[in-house]
Amino acid sequence: MLTALSIRDVVLVDVLDLEVESGLTVLTGETGAGKSIILDALGLALGGRGDAGLVRHGAKQAVATAVFSAPDDPDLLALIADKGFDVQPGEDLILRRVLGADGRSRAYVNDQPAGVTALREIGAALVEVHGQHETVGLLDWRTHRGALDAYGGLQPQLSAVAAASIKLKAAEAKLAELKAQAADAAARQEEISLNLSELDALDPRADEETELAGERALLGAAEKAIADLADARTQLGGDKLSQKLGSALRAVEHARQRAGQSGAEGDHPVILKLSAAVEAIDRTMVEAAEAIAAVDAAADAFDYEPGRLDKAEERLFALRAAARKLNTSVDALPTLRIRLREQLRLIEDGEEALTNAGREAAQAAEAYDLAAEFLTSAREAAADRLTAAVMGELAPLKLERARFRVALERIEGRRGPEGLETVRFQIATNAGTDFGPLDAIASGGELARFALAMKAALASREDVRQPVMIFDEVDQGVGGAVAEAVGSRLKRLSTGAQVLVVTHSPQVAARGHAHWKVKKADAASETGVMTTTTVVALDDHHRREEIARMLSGAAITDEARAAAGALIG
């Protein structure tokens, strides 16, 4: 709901702050008073075309601000969020436009800088303008499906179709993927079989490259260590050392025997020295044997298997060669092997998988078609009801020669989330003429009245959300009973929506819940006489006077006042 409109320096308006009430607000005033300026300013705040001519003469910029009550409509909230604006729950929505005298403009949503396009899209979701030159919303056929579905209360059928559409798309995607995989696998079957055969022969294991690399390093070190130990054993002499030590021992023993034969006794120094030498050689023989045994034990500890290093290297090289050939890593070979086997299985079992997927897609399509046909039938019934409702509104609005219909056009091959058909509102303005789009109505006044008829019919459902609606001189060229019918429908429409109407008809003005009078006056300024437009909210007395003026002209008679009172009721 629009709650306030603030205007600064727009055309003839200097400063104007308006509080907008719910229900039907009428704007009246003499021709040329500037009623259209109010709508121009609102349009500017809603993202409409900004022309430098809207800036009041002598001012640097014009500012128009429209304040709406906190939005609660999910679609509107989603649109605001999608455009990147942060509006807190319960916070008013403020749209502001600043237009410079040079034609440049800036836009804001709740004081957050905005692009004019974003401002216009949000504004279009909040306000509909039906007037002499435009009927926003109804002329765009893309809004007709949503309007018909809302009128018919078709949300359950729409939800069923949307859910069926999701399942159908998933089934079709699965079928397409299986077909693509099967076609690709069949074309590569020979190559896959060869690669799989090589991998089966190779039998790669997870983390094998890391293990082999570590084993190769360890075996390489062991081989060198064993070579070093062999050299040590060679240096120790092995059996030759034992033989030499044995010969040395025998020679020293002979020397000790000869010394004894020469008369030397056991405690003789020579005998003692020779005995010490025998003991030393004997110890050396023992320790040499121990050293050789220790070196042999160290070599045995390496558990080195001849040729094992070569085998590890050959395995590692084979794995890496296979990885290069298959354009992958060694670690990925086991997974690739599984995938190749699965591809071959898909070729072998693909017919069954494709058949199952095709059956699932067919079942999903059948379920979708059933849901869509229910929706189509419901739309056709709603279209008949809406056609009758609109036709019932046309004659009282002096559109008795016009005919209205809802055209449902099925699109071949379409299975979308919104059903099988497009929806378009069409009209034939005269007998014998073909139906065409709504903008085929030539007269601006007729177009505005037709929009009123449409809105009155659509609003017959209480649960149909209506935005703020503005009707600009919807009563142009009509009077009497037709004007009375216009006023009656505007008031009826305002019970479920906020409606603003610019009118010259006293019958329409008398239906308003609130009444604004637009006046133009000259006032002295520093630069001379300046004409300004103001808006006054009328109380009951002045409202009766204004409607009496509309009935009688400049001179208000008692008869006109009485007639105004009768109209107001």
Side-chain angles (χ1 to χ4, degrees):
M1 172 178 157
L2 178 66
T3 60
L5 178 64
S6 175
I7 306 172
R8 299 290 185 272
D9 295 321
V10 176
V11 193
L12 299 180
V13 175
D14 180 10
V15 176
L16 184 61
D17 293 302
L18 298 171
E19 293 185 2
V20 190
E21 299 179 15
S22 60
L24 176 62
T25 298
V26 298
L27 285 80
T28 64
E30 296 180 358
T31 301
K35 296 184 292 297
S36 63
I37 297 174
I38 309 303
L39 299 188
D40 288 341
L42 178 58
L44 186 65
L46 297 174
R49 184 166 176 252
D51 190 300
L54 291 174
V55 181
R56 188 171 65 88
H57 179 69
K60 294 182 179 180
Q61 64 182 25
V63 182
T65 304
V67 182
F68 295 84
S69 56
D72 57 4
D73 178 62
D75 292 337
L76 176 59
L77 289 170
L79 174 63
I80 294 171
D82 182 62
K83 297 303 177 183
F85 302 113
D86 182 23
V87 178
Q88 298 299 318
E91 181 182 12
D92 287 345
L93 182 61
I94 304 173
L95 307 184
R96 181 160 57 96
R97 185 89 169 275
V98 179
L99 177 64
D102 58 0
R104 298 180 181 179
S105 72
R106 303 187 304 278
Y108 302 89
V109 174
N110 281 35
D111 291 326
Q112 301 166 67
V116 174
T117 300
L119 187 71
R120 186 182 303 119
E121 291 182 20
I122 295 173
L126 291 164
V127 178
E128 284 188 2
V129 179
H130 306 283
Q132 297 295 306
H133 307 294
E134 60 179 339
T135 299
V136 176
L138 287 178
L139 294 185
D140 184 355
W141 67 268
R142 291 170 296 184
T143 67
H144 295 174
R145 182 201 58 77
L148 176 64
D149 291 344
Y151 175 79
L154 307 184
Q155 188 56 49
Q157 294 91 330
L158 273 172
S159 297
V161 169
S165 177
I166 292 173
K167 292 181 179 178
L168 175 59
K169 287 182 178 179
E172 290 177 337
K174 178 182 178 181
L175 178 61
E177 182 181 4
L178 285 175
K179 285 181 177 179
Q181 288 178 355
D184 180 64
R188 297 176 54 234
Q189 183 174 8
E190 184 177 352
E191 179 185 357
I192 292 170
S193 297
L194 178 60
N195 290 336
L196 181 58
S197 176
E198 292 178 355
L199 284 177
D200 284 342
L202 188 61
D203 191 22
R205 302 187 306 276
D207 300 323
E208 190 174 5
E209 182 181 28
T210 302
E211 294 174 3
L212 285 171
E215 183 179 4
R216 184 176 66 167
L218 180 61
L219 290 173
E223 186 178 56
K224 293 177 181 178
I226 289 173
D228 291 337
L229 291 173
D231 183 57
R233 199 180 196 287
T234 300
Q235 295 300 324
L236 286 172
D239 293 339
K240 292 181 180 180
L241 178 60
S242 298
Q243 292 172 2
K244 289 180 179 181
L245 288 173
S247 297
L249 181 61
R250 287 192 297 273
V252 175
E253 284 284 1
H254 290 160
R256 188 171 61 175
Q257 290 175 4
R258 288 190 176 93
Q261 292 172 359
S262 65
E265 297 296 332
D267 57 351
H268 192 276
V270 172
I271 296 298
L272 293 175
K273 294 291 186 183
L274 288 172
S275 296
V278 169
E279 292 175 2
I281 293 172
D282 186 59
R283 287 196 307 273
T284 300
M285 290 178 66
V286 172
E287 290 179 358
E290 290 178 353
I292 292 172
V295 170
D296 290 341
D300 292 339
F302 277 98
D303 191 23
Y304 179 75
E305 179 184 337
R308 186 175 171 188
L309 176 60
D310 292 337
K311 291 180 181 179
E313 289 184 337
E314 288 175 4
R315 176 69 176 172
L316 186 58
F317 294 155
L319 289 170
R320 289 176 175 174
R324 283 195 301 271
K325 178 181 177 181
L326 298 173
N327 195 29
T328 188
S329 66
V330 173
D331 287 341
L333 287 177
T335 302
L336 177 60
R337 182 186 182 187
I338 295 172
R339 190 162 70 246
L340 292 178
R341 188 177 291 118
E342 179 64 20
Q343 288 178 0
L344 281 182
R345 187 204 61 78
L346 183 62
I347 295 173
E348 297 167 356
D349 302 335
E351 189 64 32
E352 181 180 357
L354 286 175
T355 299
N356 291 337
R359 183 166 50 250
E360 291 174 2
Q363 291 171 348
E366 183 178 352
Y368 174 88
D369 290 342
L370 182 61
E373 289 297 341
F374 276 124
L375 176 59
T376 297
S377 298
R379 277 178 175 160
E380 289 172 346
D384 290 341
R385 296 196 302 273
L386 180 59
T387 298
V390 173
M391 290 296 294
E393 298 287 344
L394 295 180
L397 296 176
K398 202 178 178 181
L399 293 169
E400 63 278 354
R401 298 171 65 87
R403 290 170 295 136
F404 170 78
R405 75 176 183 184
V406 180
L408 274 62
E409 180 181 352
R410 182 166 298 199
I411 301 176
E412 288 299 325
R414 173 178 178 174
R415 283 191 173 106
E418 296 173 348
L420 302 172
E421 58 277 319
T422 60
V423 177
R424 300 189 187 222
F425 298 157
Q426 296 180 337
I427 192 166
T429 54
N430 294 292
T433 60
D434 293 333
F435 280 93
L438 300 185
D439 56 5
I441 302 176
S443 164
E446 287 182 343
L447 182 58
R449 292 202 305 281
F450 179 78
L452 176 59
M454 282 287 303
K455 286 298 178 182
L458 290 169
S460 62
R461 283 188 57 91
E462 294 181 356
D463 56 344
V464 175
R465 174 188 172 271
Q466 298 284 1
V468 178
M469 286 177 283
I470 298 174
F471 291 87
D472 184 9
E473 300 193 13
V474 66
D475 52 0
Q476 183 192 41
V478 300
V482 177
E484 174 67 23
V486 170
S488 174
R489 279 152 181 78
L490 285 169
K491 186 167 185 177
R492 191 175 75 205
L493 188 60
S494 70
T495 58
Q498 187 181 37
V499 181
L500 282 75
V501 57
V502 175
T503 181
H504 289 287
S505 168
Q507 290 92 339
V508 173
R511 296 285 185 169
H513 299 102
H515 193 144
W516 294 347
K517 182 175 182 179
V518 182
K519 299 191 298 182
K520 185 168 63 175
D522 294 335
S525 68
E526 296 178 357
T527 58
V529 177
M530 179 70 71
T531 302
T532 59
T533 291
T534 59
V535 177
V536 177
L538 302 181
D539 58 20
D540 290 344
H541 169 72
H542 290 95
R543 179 186 178 200
R544 182 176 282 102
E545 288 293 298
E546 172 63 6
I547 293 174
R549 180 198 65 76
M550 297 171 72
L551 286 166
S552 64
I556 302 175
T557 64
D558 290 340
E559 290 79 1
R561 290 188 176 93
L567 285 176
I568 295 172

